[in-house]
Amino acid sequence: MLRQIFIFSIFCGMFLLFSTCNNTKQLTIEVTNPLVLALDSKKAAIKKVMDSSAPFNLQIKYSKIKREGDSIIFTDYDFQVDSTNYFYPASTVKFPVALLALSKLNSLPNFDRFTPFYIEGDTVVTTIKREIEKIFAVSDNMAFNRLFEFLGQDYINKELNNILQGPIRISHRLSTDEADEITTKPIIIYLNDSTTTQLPAIINTSAKPLHRLKATKKGKGYYEEDSLIYDGFDFSKKNYYPIETQHEFLKKVIFANQYKPNEKLNLSKKQLAFVHKAMHTLPRNIGYDASMYYDGYCKFFLFGDTKENIPENIKIYNKVGDAYGTLTDCAYVVDSKNKIEFLLNATILVNKNDLFNDNNYEYEEIGIPFLAELGREIYAIELTGKRKDN
């Protein structure tokens, strides 16, 4: 695997320097791709993945950030990023849906992020603000589903395809019965303590199979209730949100002032500030039990494998996903003390027995330690670069 990494690095920015010693020519290789350096780490959590022949379906995208006045310059590095190679995005789809919900509010009278509402048949009265906070702090599935009912599949996909250059398809709710039901439920909005109005149900179009993608059928078998079926698990009608698209969307949210209005979602400055705060807010800071929802609970990079508190000088604006053995994190990392900032996006499949729906995945043993160590390696490279600059 080490040899493969160096072959990869030839295509990603290596300088070949020749020197003469005792009348013989030597070849010295200086690796300048920081992502290659990170993946060549001797740390056990990274070596376990990089030295293995297991099909981890690893994809990584990393962006160095340079500020010049009001401009942002990104230098992007990829490892095996391929939008045609399907992976299940899990809860990462909550990120664009949360922001779409805010954007849609701007076209509705008598409804803002503070307005109480409930979904027909639901017992919870809530607000868009609270559901978005829950999505980023603890990745709450029901919070996502409520926003999904508010928007509907057709609206979600039309709006996202208008502003994103990369592919995306969001077709279903998460962890609920009839997740792919095409008719949304009505929304009841409180105009005041005693008066309500209703947003009617929306009938959407059914999802079509993603036949043009690779690996939409995975594994040697899967469980359906208590039965083991020896056939690949079919993801072709599930959500699709590849690394390239995730990374582009993150840039447009974090660095919104770098994009034209037609290239990003319609969010006010106050809405955008709220989103940024929600993205880095830790569970303990909005009322969740810190013993259960520790700081790294939804921050896989750097801190996913520890229950220690994240230092005050580090903020991670991100959205993670974990399901069907796939772990993904899409993050903007900032260290205000050391003046470090970078974007990092990665996905990994940990499913040793190649069976799906058995809840037997190596999240804690392999996946999260790898993502945490990857984040620390990139951070260390950024820190070393800053020290050299100084």
Side-chain angles (χ1 to χ4, degrees), residues 12-160:
C12 300
M14 298 175 66
F15 291 110
L16 304 183
L17 304 176
F18 292 87
S19 63
T20 303
C21 179
N22 296 328
N23 296 321
T24 62
K25 185 175 286 187
Q26 290 183 316
L27 178 64
T28 303
I29 299 176
E30 179 185 346
V31 180
T32 60
N33 184 327
L35 189 50
V36 172
L37 290 175
L39 293 175
D40 190 36
S41 169
K42 304 305 179 187
K43 299 292 179 61
I46 290 181
K47 282 182 63 62
K48 185 180 291 187
V49 171
M50 301 309 295
D51 291 349
S52 173
S53 60
F56 290 112
N57 293 0
L58 188 63
Q59 296 188 42
I60 308 171
K61 194 171 186 71
Y62 158 59
S63 294
K64 291 182 69 68
I65 297 170
K66 183 178 180 181
R67 294 180 180 266
E68 291 189 354
D70 293 331
S71 298
I72 304 290
I73 299 172
F74 301 103
T75 304
D76 296 336
Y77 301 90
D78 293 358
F79 181 76
Q80 299 183 161
V81 173
D82 181 357
S83 293
T84 69
N85 191 17
Y86 181 84
F87 67 88
Y88 183 66
S91 292
T92 59
V93 299
K94 296 173 185 175
F95 180 18
V97 166
L99 271 66
L100 273 179
L102 280 179
S103 178
K104 184 176 180 179
L105 289 176
N106 294 331
S107 64
L108 296 176
N110 305 316
F111 196 10
D112 59 28
R113 70 178 186 271
F114 306 103
T115 305
F117 75 93
Y118 67 92
I119 307 295
E120 185 177 272
D122 196 350
T123 59
V124 175
V125 176
T126 186
T127 65
I128 297 291
K129 174 181 180 292
R130 182 56 181 168
E131 298 309 282
I132 290 175
E133 289 173 339
K134 291 191 288 186
I135 279 173
F136 286 111
V138 298
S139 199
D140 188 289
N141 286 330
M142 290 308 297
F144 168 78
N145 293 340
R146 292 182 185 109
L147 300 188
F148 191 98
E149 301 293 348
F150 172 50
L151 299 170
Q153 295 96 313
D154 289 352
Y155 181 89
I156 290 170
N157 292 303
K158 178 184 175 183
E159 293 298 309
L160 291 178

Side-chain angles (χ1 to χ4, degrees), residues 265-285:
L265 289 176
N266 174 31
L267 298 176
S268 69
K269 290 183 178 180
K270 287 185 178 180
Q271 287 176 325
L272 196 59
F274 161 67
V275 167
H276 288 174
K277 182 178 179 181
M279 288 179 73
H280 72 71
T281 296
L282 301 170
R284 58 184 163 88
N285 292 331

Side-chain angles (χ1 to χ4, degrees), residues 237-379:
K237 289 189 177 181
K238 292 192 177 294
N239 295 329
Y240 168 51
Y241 188 30
I243 290 293
E244 287 278 15
T245 310
Q246 291 187 21
H247 211 74
E248 180 196 0
F249 189 73
L250 181 64
K251 285 180 180 179
K252 289 185 174 184
V253 172
I254 297 299
F255 304 102
N257 60 353
Q258 300 293 307
Y259 295 88
K260 298 176 182 177
N262 65 336
E263 295 175 329
K264 59 187 178 180
L265 289 176
N266 174 31
L267 298 176
S268 69
K269 290 183 178 180
K270 287 185 178 180
Q271 287 176 325
L272 196 59
F274 161 67
V275 167
H276 288 174
K277 182 178 179 181
M279 288 179 73
H280 72 71
T281 296
L282 301 170
R284 58 184 163 88
N285 292 331
I286 57 169
Y288 285 97
D289 181 356
S291 64
M292 179 179 295
Y293 299 106
Y294 47 93
D295 285 9
Y297 183 80
C298 283
K299 309 292 182 189
F300 294 162
F301 292 136
L302 283 86
F303 301 101
D305 60 352
T306 177
K307 293 189 177 180
E308 298 297 320
N309 285 356
I310 296 176
E312 292 292 330
N313 57 296
I314 295 179
K315 288 185 170 64
I316 301 176
Y317 304 69
N318 76 315
K319 187 68 199 78
V320 300
D322 63 284
Y324 296 115
T326 299
L327 292 163
T328 305
D329 199 348
C330 179
Y332 168 56
V333 180
V334 180
D335 179 347
S336 56
K337 178 181 177 181
N338 294 294
K339 295 181 170 52
I340 289 172
E341 57 178 336
F342 60 90
L343 301 171
L344 186 58
N345 202 173
T347 186
I348 184 172
L349 173 66
V350 284
N351 188 15
K352 186 177 181 180
N353 67 12
D354 212 23
L355 298 176
F356 287 90
N357 272 350
D358 64 348
N359 293 319
N360 184 18
Y361 308 115
E362 295 72 43
Y363 292 141
E364 302 296 332
E365 302 91 331
I366 298 175
I368 288 178
F370 173 83
L371 294 176
E373 198 63 66
L374 175 65
R376 289 192 287 265
E377 287 292 318
I378 293 294
Y379 175 87

